[in-house]
Amino acid sequence: MRESLKAKALKHLLNAHPTVKRIGKVMTLKLCAGSMITAVKLRGENELVFITLNYVIKGNEFYITDVTASREWLNALADLFKKRHAKFDMSKYGIAANIVKHLF
């Protein structure tokens, strides 16, 4: 139950991020120790893209440490996303951020 709540809160938090909103939507999210596997529906694409993302949460900060996409050509874009958004302040994302901080 707790893992399900973590996944739902983190999915909501990621979908609230402005860049994620602009390029697509996280459809599913499965948590593992320090990583997640997501299915993302990119705008203009018919098929889902699967992304593995390693992360660390410290206080209000969410750090992305590595990103790998299921499509090879997206890995370069994933690296750019990681460099630009490797850290973001969760406190700007309302109740979902509070739930994530509490659960993690």
Side-chain angles (χ1 to χ4, degrees), residues 36-80:
M36 67 181 83
I37 300 170
T38 64
V40 178
K41 176 78 167 132
L42 297 174
R43 292 186 191 270
E45 292 289 323
N46 293 326
E47 295 180 28
L48 295 175
V49 174
F50 295 92
I51 298 171
T52 302
L53 189 136
N54 296 336
Y55 67 92
V56 175
I57 296 174
K58 294 180 184 176
N60 284 334
E61 302 293 328
F62 182 93
Y63 298 90
I64 298 170
T65 58
D66 193 29
V67 181
T68 306
S70 61
R71 296 190 191 148
E72 190 62 38
W73 67 272
L74 285 174
N75 283 323
L77 294 177
D79 282 341
L80 289 174

Side-chain angles (χ1 to χ4, degrees), residues 14-26 40 43 81:
L14 290 172
N15 280 326
H17 192 281
T19 300
V20 175
K21 279 184 180 179
R22 196 169 60 244
I23 63 172
K25 182 177 181 181
V26 175
V40 178
R43 292 186 191 270
F81 180 85

